[in-house]
Amino acid sequence: MCTGETSLEERTDSGGSLLRTPGLKLTEGGPRCFPPRKLCLMESTFSSPAEAALQREAGAAGLLTSFADLDRVYELERVIGFVRHLGSQRVALQFPDQLLGDAGVVAARLEETTESKMFILGDTAYGSCCVDVLGAEQAGAQALVHFGPACLSPPARPLPVAFVLGQRPVALELCAKAFEAQNPDPTAPVVLLSEPACAHALEALATLLRPRYPDLLVSSPALPLPVGSLNPEPEPLERFGRRFPLAPGRCLEEYGAFYVGGSESSPDPDLDPDLNRLLLGWAPGQPFSSCCPDTGRTQDEGARAGKLRARRHYLIERARDARVVGLLVGTLGVDRHREALAHLRNLTQAAGKRSYVLALGRPTPPKLANFPEVDVFVLLACPLGALAPWPSGSFFRPVLAPCELEAACNPAWPPPGLAPHLTHYADLLPGSPFHVPLPPPESELWDTPDVSLITGELRPSPTWKPSNDSGCSALTLRPQLELAESSPAGKHAKSPLPSELFPQILPTHLQFPPFAASFLSSRSWQGLQPHLGQTPVKAAVSGRRGIAIAYEDEGSS
């Protein structure tokens, strides 16, 4: 039942993203839908409820930034020039939850200055660091402005995008003194890194340090180049969402790192996925230190980097021991995600493992707990999403990054210590300099003895061989559908599930492992059975109350 009235023009897309028109406010008694409680429990177990976008509190209430600082913090002059240059009449403004308090004022000011319609995108289906091209398309936007931290991953569909990373104040003198204390050797090569909001101050910091440190390299965010602009010569190295203008003959592995970012008030420094991907991907033998931009306090990150690498090595061993792998679709807006999903499916099949593709939105422990047969999960997401911090002990099965699955299933992958930790799944695909193809079926690498470092047992050799998976985009119409399983040998077996439960269009490549149908038939609950027209009509009666572990009619026993 829905009650209340609202004066806010709003739309909700299929992923739960809320599109709002600025200048109006939602009344306290706004529309709220209250479906049956048990239905809400079932829906929230497998996916995020649709009304959650309206009921949850996103961001702090009220204006977060003073009116005098809005132009500087959100770079409104540059955004206005971007909109006017494109001539866009409808523009989407994407804000993370922590900045939604400023969204209405920023949108109203841009709308008044540019005379273009502005739409605020909040509560994205996956991560706020990725460009929400799907939400922008549903709003009919011709361009998008992304505010806040960004992974800078290329979107899956062409759309003009401007990034506003923010401008956090940096104490340059304190940071310069901290750099000199951490790097007493003036001839040592060092790279200046920073969190996205501090990138604006790196050149000014380098100006203070270059008289003493000639071999100093300044990184910059890998923002998309303006349309029609030419690539710089020589083209800088692009890694970790940053560009590194290396001199000819130099490589990034020669440099140490000095990172400006973080906060002393942060309860746990391990919750920063951007710094984590730098620590995992940086050369292990090079020094890495971080500096707080407010106080200039420094910290040697070597111990933390070793801890992160040890954790990743453990996850690789868990993936090697796994027999069933769940592939979590963690993005639909990043380029080449379909190709990466096909690559991971082929990888698990070649290693003799069974894989299932799960599209559940943002992964949560209750969602993943519905699949106890899965040994490990692999999150296919952007670099920041794949390294998103999970509360300790929250998931009953480990959640891996695509690079860890590649190291576990590809016998041609270099051993630990020699292989780079790739944070973006695109680096694993053909065309990347880091791509390592699977060995041919007759290669001896598939038969190399391997002992688990967790169980101490000898792992069996893979029984499946690589296959040519063309991807996930081919669809065909099937007039008579039956859930069937198929094996490499070509055996087929019908499933006891009725074909009415499945849509009439399925991917042609969809193949179920040999045991899937038989295993499903052995379970006590196989899903809802409609039996349309086969049961008599009865009046609705009260159902059972309580939770599955203790219904009210079962008593205390």
Side-chain angles (χ1 to χ4, degrees), residues 301-428:
E301 300 290 351
R304 180 178 167 193
K307 179 182 176 181
L308 290 173
R309 294 191 186 99
R311 172 65 178 171
R312 297 299 159 180
H313 293 163
Y314 166 76
L315 294 177
I316 292 174
E317 286 297 312
R318 288 293 298 269
R320 287 172 177 166
D321 290 340
R323 299 182 58 189
V324 181
V325 179
L327 303 178
L328 302 175
V329 180
T331 180
L332 295 177
V334 180
D335 192 24
R336 304 184 72 181
H337 68 274
R338 291 179 179 269
E339 185 180 349
L341 182 60
H343 174 76
L344 296 181
R345 293 178 66 249
N346 186 32
L347 193 65
T348 55
Q349 183 181 4
K353 306 178 188 298
R354 298 174 175 88
S355 63
Y356 296 90
V357 179
L358 307 173
L360 306 175
R362 297 183 184 181
T364 61
K367 293 179 185 178
L368 303 189
N370 289 281
F371 308 97
E373 298 82 13
V374 176
D375 297 320
V376 296
F377 294 95
V378 180
L379 180 58
L380 183 65
C382 70
L384 299 185
L387 295 176
W390 310 115
S392 178
S394 59
F395 292 99
F396 81 111
R397 291 287 189 268
V399 180
L400 287 68
C403 178
E404 289 144 13
L405 183 67
E406 181 84 27
C409 298
N410 190 348
W413 192 258
L418 299 179
H421 190 282
L422 307 177
T423 56
H424 196 354
Y425 60 75
D427 294 331
L428 305 174

Side-chain angles (χ1 to χ4, degrees), residues 414-465:
L418 299 179
H421 190 282
L422 307 177
T423 56
H424 196 354
Y425 60 75
D427 294 331
L428 305 174
L429 302 179
S432 168
F434 301 101
H435 172 67
V436 178
L438 287 170
E442 63 275 5
S443 174
E444 296 180 355
L445 294 175
W446 295 106
D447 301 324
T448 303
D450 188 18
V451 177
S452 171
L453 299 181
I454 297 177
T455 63
E457 298 178 356
L458 183 67
R459 296 190 183 101
S461 301
T463 56
W464 292 4
K465 298 300 180 182

Side-chain angles (χ1 to χ4, degrees), residues 206-338:
T207 303
L208 298 177
L209 297 173
R210 278 202 177 99
R212 184 181 176 187
Y213 296 89
D215 200 355
L216 190 65
L217 190 67
V218 181
S219 65
S220 60
L223 299 173
L225 298 175
V227 179
S229 61
L230 300 177
N231 292 330
E233 293 292 342
E235 188 173 353
L237 174 68
E238 188 170 324
R239 288 190 65 186
F240 311 115
R242 295 164 171 83
R243 292 192 178 98
F244 301 90
L246 292 170
R250 303 295 298 272
C251 61
L252 193 61
E253 288 72 19
E254 302 174 3
Y255 287 81
F258 185 81
Y259 180 86
V260 179
S263 173
E264 294 183 359
S265 60
S266 177
D268 188 357
D270 293 337
L271 300 181
D272 186 357
D274 181 56
L275 180 56
N276 287 346
R277 72 167 170 175
L278 288 170
L279 294 176
L280 285 170
W282 209 259
Q286 296 296 338
F288 197 112
S289 57
S290 62
C291 174
C292 178
D294 303 322
T295 62
R297 181 178 179 182
T298 59
Q299 181 178 353
D300 187 0
E301 300 290 351
R304 180 178 167 193
K307 179 182 176 181
L308 290 173
R309 294 191 186 99
R311 172 65 178 171
R312 297 299 159 180
H313 293 163
Y314 166 76
L315 294 177
I316 292 174
E317 286 297 312
R318 288 293 298 269
R320 287 172 177 166
D321 290 340
R323 299 182 58 189
V324 181
V325 179
L327 303 178
L328 302 175
V329 180
T331 180
L332 295 177
V334 180
D335 192 24
R336 304 184 72 181
H337 68 274
R338 291 179 179 269

Side-chain angles (χ1 to χ4, degrees), residues 9-13 17-20 90 119 138-140:
E9 178 189 346
E10 61 186 26
R11 298 166 49 201
T12 304
D13 68 4
S17 298
L18 183 62
L19 312 178
R20 296 182 175 178
R90 300 170 67 88
F119 293 86
Q138 292 195 1

